[in-house]
Amino acid sequence: MNIVTEKKLAAGLSITSNAAIIVLKLIAGAISGSISIISEAIHSLSDFLASVLTFFAVIKSSEPADSNHPFGHGKYEDMSGFIEGGLIIFAALYIIYEALKKIFLHNNSELDTNLGIIVMLIASIANFFVSTILFKVAKKSNSISLFADGEHLRTDIYSSLGVMAGLILIKITDIYILDPIIAILVATFIFKAGFSISKETLNNLLDGSLPPSDIKTIEDIINSYKNNCLTRYKDLKARRCGPSIDIELTIIFLPETSILKCHDICDEIEELINKKLKNVTIMIHSEPECKKLTETK
């Protein structure tokens, strides 16, 4: 099975799983009257919309470069991840609004907690297996949208378990105001995850640099050739574009180095960087060392 097919199957599985979980949570929330369960249904709805976006992004980003998109369609995945982050943030704010309304209006009637506890447990188990598959395929394919979708479901696991624990506590203590309080705590956790995803994908959309650890990996590989005709490098630029990484740099060689030698060293550097960072497109410009070149590394 090729990686594009794996990505499509993973995204499709996420859509199917989220649809089923939404129905279960809405039924449980309506029967029990619990705002924390309803908040989880809203969270799962944002998961579902995010999964649909991911499926679209995976298909679109897999298309080859064309005349309108000469650098490929990788940024569709970044765009999908950014929208997913926004959906998570919106869901969190709505949950907080509904929970606060329930607290201040003193609408804390008795709850039927049994069904909610069962549904939250089922949702947690299902999301654990689906998110594990998403993370596995995302790591293999460097897919930011699948990773964001997996992160989305992983937050749903923790929030579902939190709601389940709260329902158990309400069942034991009969303190029903705990329901909206738990919903707010869950929403705070959800908001943090959404903000993190939006920040990372926005950085990619705006062509922000790679993380310092990745830049250091590139620099270490280049510097390992300094005693082999290579004197230094300059103008290193690196960005992530969906599942791929684009790198540009200039390498300075000793003047007497042959074109063939420069070419071989550049090929070796490209191969090593690709092994470390995966799915990398590298453009290296070679220049001879001379007095006019004063910028150093």
Side-chain angles (χ1 to χ4, degrees):
M1 185 185 300
N2 64 49
I3 193 62
V4 174
T5 302
E6 281 193 59
K7 289 169 70 176
K8 290 179 181 178
L9 288 175
L13 176 63
S14 181
I15 291 173
T16 304
S17 172
N18 279 317
I21 288 172
I22 289 169
V23 173
L24 284 175
K25 288 181 178 178
L26 285 175
I27 292 172
I31 293 175
S32 67
S34 168
I35 184 62
S36 59
I37 298 177
I38 295 295
S39 72
E40 271 300 286
I42 295 170
H43 185 199
S44 293
L45 179 60
S46 73
D47 287 344
F48 177 77
L49 294 175
S51 297
V52 173
L53 279 171
T54 298
F55 189 73
F56 164 77
V58 164
I59 293 175
K60 195 67 180 175
S61 67
S62 300
E63 294 180 3
D66 53 38
S67 58
N68 292 323
H69 300 87
F71 294 98
H73 300 79
K75 283 194 178 290
Y76 276 93
E77 292 209 19
D78 294 313
M79 179 185 68
S80 169
F82 180 70
I83 296 174
E84 284 186 41
L87 287 172
I88 297 174
I89 291 172
F90 175 79
L93 293 175
Y94 183 78
I95 292 167
I96 291 173
Y97 167 75
E98 288 295 333
L100 289 174
K101 189 166 70 173
K102 192 166 187 179
I103 290 173
F104 289 112
L105 293 179
H106 305 291
N107 184 18
N108 297 299
S109 55
E110 292 189 7
L111 306 175
D112 179 6
T113 57
N114 293 327
L115 178 61
I117 292 170
I118 295 171
V119 169
M120 290 302 106
L121 180 59
I122 292 172
S124 298
I125 294 171
N127 282 330
F128 173 78
F129 284 110
V130 175
S131 63
T132 299
I133 293 171
L134 288 173
F135 282 133
K136 181 180 178 181
V137 178
K139 183 177 180 180
K140 186 188 297 185
S141 62
N142 285 323
S143 172
I144 188 67
S145 59
L146 284 181
F147 177 81
D149 200 23
E151 194 67 39
H152 210 153
L153 292 183
R154 188 56 56 89
T155 63
D156 207 2
I157 295 171
Y158 298 135
S159 57
S160 294
L161 289 175
V163 169
M164 185 179 74
L167 291 173
I168 293 172
L169 189 61
I170 292 170
K171 183 179 179 66
I172 295 171
T173 64
D174 287 333
I175 303 176
Y176 296 103
I177 198 173
L178 288 174
D179 183 51
I181 292 174
I182 291 166
I184 291 173
L185 292 174
V186 169
T188 302
F189 182 79
I190 295 170
F191 182 90
K192 183 179 178 182
F195 181 80
S196 176
I197 292 171
S198 293
K199 182 180 178 181
E200 179 182 352
T201 51
L202 181 61
N203 179 70
N204 294 343
L205 285 171
L206 297 178
D207 288 335
S209 182
L210 294 180
S213 58
D214 289 344
I215 295 295
K216 187 176 185 307
T217 296
I218 298 169
E219 291 174 337
D220 288 344
I221 289 172
I222 299 170
N223 288 331
S224 68
Y225 281 83
K226 275 195 172 179
N227 293 326
N228 190 11
C229 304
L230 187 156
T231 62
R232 57 194 172 87
Y233 68 95
K234 65 175 184 176
D235 301 333
L236 172 60
K237 300 175 185 177
R239 66 171 185 172
R240 179 170 288 282
C241 182
S244 63
I245 293 173
D246 296 332
I247 299 173
E248 295 180 15
L249 73 150
T250 298
I251 294 180
I252 314 300
F253 290 94
L254 293 173
E256 63 271 17
T257 309
S258 69
I259 294 175
L260 179 59
K261 182 70 172 178
C262 293
H263 176 75
D264 288 344
I265 290 175
C266 289
D267 278 353
E268 289 178 18
I269 289 173
E270 289 179 17
E271 185 178 352
L272 288 172
I273 292 174
N274 249 311
K275 283 183 179 179
K276 287 286 186 179
L277 300 183
K278 311 296 183 185
N279 200 10
V280 180
T281 300
I282 308 174
M283 292 186 65
I284 301 178
H285 175 65
S286 302
E287 290 184 0
E289 181 67 88
C290 63
K291 292 181 180 179
K292 291 183 179 179
L293 299 173
T294 56
E295 184 180 355
T296 60
K297 278 286 183 179

